Short mmCIF file of all heavy atoms in Angstrom, two decimals:
data_model
loop_
_atom_site.label_atom_id
_atom_site.label_comp_id
_atom_site.label_asym_id
_atom_site.label_seq_id
_atom_site.Cartn_x
_atom_site.Cartn_y
_atom_site.Cartn_z
N ALA A 262 -117.74 29.16 35.68
CA ALA A 262 -117.28 29.57 34.42
C ALA A 262 -118.02 30.77 33.87
O ALA A 262 -119.18 31.01 34.13
CB ALA A 262 -117.46 28.40 33.44
N ASP A 263 -117.26 31.72 33.18
CA ASP A 263 -117.88 32.92 32.54
C ASP A 263 -118.27 32.70 31.13
O ASP A 263 -119.24 33.37 30.66
CB ASP A 263 -116.83 34.08 32.65
CG ASP A 263 -116.54 34.41 34.11
OD1 ASP A 263 -117.35 35.03 34.72
OD2 ASP A 263 -115.42 33.97 34.60
N ILE A 264 -117.47 31.80 30.45
CA ILE A 264 -117.74 31.57 29.06
C ILE A 264 -117.50 30.16 28.84
O ILE A 264 -116.49 29.61 29.41
CB ILE A 264 -116.74 32.33 28.08
CG1 ILE A 264 -117.03 33.91 28.41
CG2 ILE A 264 -117.05 32.05 26.68
CD1 ILE A 264 -116.06 34.68 27.59
N VAL A 265 -118.36 29.47 28.05
CA VAL A 265 -118.03 27.92 27.87
C VAL A 265 -117.70 27.78 26.40
O VAL A 265 -118.07 28.60 25.53
CB VAL A 265 -119.30 27.04 28.23
CG1 VAL A 265 -119.65 27.20 29.73
CG2 VAL A 265 -120.52 27.56 27.43
N MET A 266 -116.88 26.76 26.17
CA MET A 266 -116.47 26.48 24.85
C MET A 266 -116.63 25.05 24.38
O MET A 266 -116.62 24.07 25.19
CB MET A 266 -114.89 26.74 24.87
CG MET A 266 -114.23 26.74 23.36
SD MET A 266 -112.49 26.55 23.41
CE MET A 266 -111.81 27.96 24.22
N VAL A 267 -116.87 24.96 23.00
CA VAL A 267 -116.91 23.75 22.42
C VAL A 267 -115.67 23.68 21.47
O VAL A 267 -115.33 24.62 20.80
CB VAL A 267 -118.15 23.48 21.45
CG1 VAL A 267 -118.11 22.26 20.77
CG2 VAL A 267 -119.43 23.62 22.48
N LYS A 268 -115.03 22.46 21.51
CA LYS A 268 -113.83 22.32 20.65
C LYS A 268 -113.48 20.89 20.28
O LYS A 268 -113.78 20.07 21.18
CB LYS A 268 -112.57 22.78 21.51
CG LYS A 268 -111.29 22.67 20.93
CD LYS A 268 -110.17 22.84 21.86
CE LYS A 268 -108.80 22.60 21.26
NZ LYS A 268 -107.76 22.91 22.12
N PRO A 269 -113.32 20.64 19.01
CA PRO A 269 -113.11 21.49 17.84
C PRO A 269 -114.53 22.05 17.36
O PRO A 269 -115.54 21.83 18.15
CB PRO A 269 -112.69 20.58 16.78
CG PRO A 269 -112.12 19.39 17.41
CD PRO A 269 -112.94 19.11 18.63
N ALA A 270 -114.51 22.82 16.25
CA ALA A 270 -115.74 23.43 15.85
C ALA A 270 -116.49 22.68 14.69
O ALA A 270 -117.74 22.35 14.86
CB ALA A 270 -115.56 24.90 15.51
N LEU A 271 -115.69 22.46 13.68
CA LEU A 271 -116.38 21.98 12.42
C LEU A 271 -117.18 20.73 12.50
O LEU A 271 -118.27 20.56 11.96
CB LEU A 271 -115.47 22.03 11.19
CG LEU A 271 -115.19 23.34 10.62
CD1 LEU A 271 -114.40 23.21 9.37
CD2 LEU A 271 -116.51 24.00 10.25
N ALA A 272 -116.49 19.70 13.12
CA ALA A 272 -117.16 18.32 13.18
C ALA A 272 -118.15 18.34 14.35
O ALA A 272 -118.77 17.42 14.59
CB ALA A 272 -116.13 17.28 13.32
N TYR A 273 -118.32 19.54 15.03
CA TYR A 273 -119.09 19.48 16.23
C TYR A 273 -120.13 20.74 16.20
O TYR A 273 -120.44 21.22 17.29
CB TYR A 273 -118.08 19.65 17.48
CG TYR A 273 -117.20 18.50 17.59
CD1 TYR A 273 -116.06 18.46 16.91
CD2 TYR A 273 -117.60 17.37 18.24
CE1 TYR A 273 -115.21 17.39 16.86
CE2 TYR A 273 -116.76 16.27 18.29
CZ TYR A 273 -115.55 16.24 17.58
OH TYR A 273 -114.79 15.09 17.62
N LEU A 274 -120.57 21.05 15.04
CA LEU A 274 -121.49 22.22 14.90
C LEU A 274 -122.79 21.96 15.64
O LEU A 274 -123.48 22.82 16.16
CB LEU A 274 -121.78 22.49 13.49
CG LEU A 274 -120.66 23.12 12.68
CD1 LEU A 274 -120.86 23.27 11.17
CD2 LEU A 274 -120.06 24.37 13.23
N ASP A 275 -123.23 20.60 15.67
CA ASP A 275 -124.38 20.27 16.35
C ASP A 275 -124.25 20.45 17.83
O ASP A 275 -125.18 20.79 18.68
CB ASP A 275 -124.71 18.69 16.10
CG ASP A 275 -123.55 17.81 16.45
OD1 ASP A 275 -122.48 18.15 16.29
OD2 ASP A 275 -123.98 16.64 17.05
N VAL A 276 -123.03 20.25 18.34
CA VAL A 276 -122.72 20.33 19.82
C VAL A 276 -122.81 21.76 20.18
O VAL A 276 -123.43 22.36 21.16
CB VAL A 276 -121.32 19.75 20.18
CG1 VAL A 276 -121.10 20.02 21.65
CG2 VAL A 276 -121.33 18.38 19.75
#
Side-chain angles (χ1 to χ4, degrees):
D263 299 284
I264 302 171
V265 293
M266 192 201 293
V267 174
K268 175 187 178 184
L271 275 190
Y273 299 86
L274 293 176
D275 58 321
V276 181

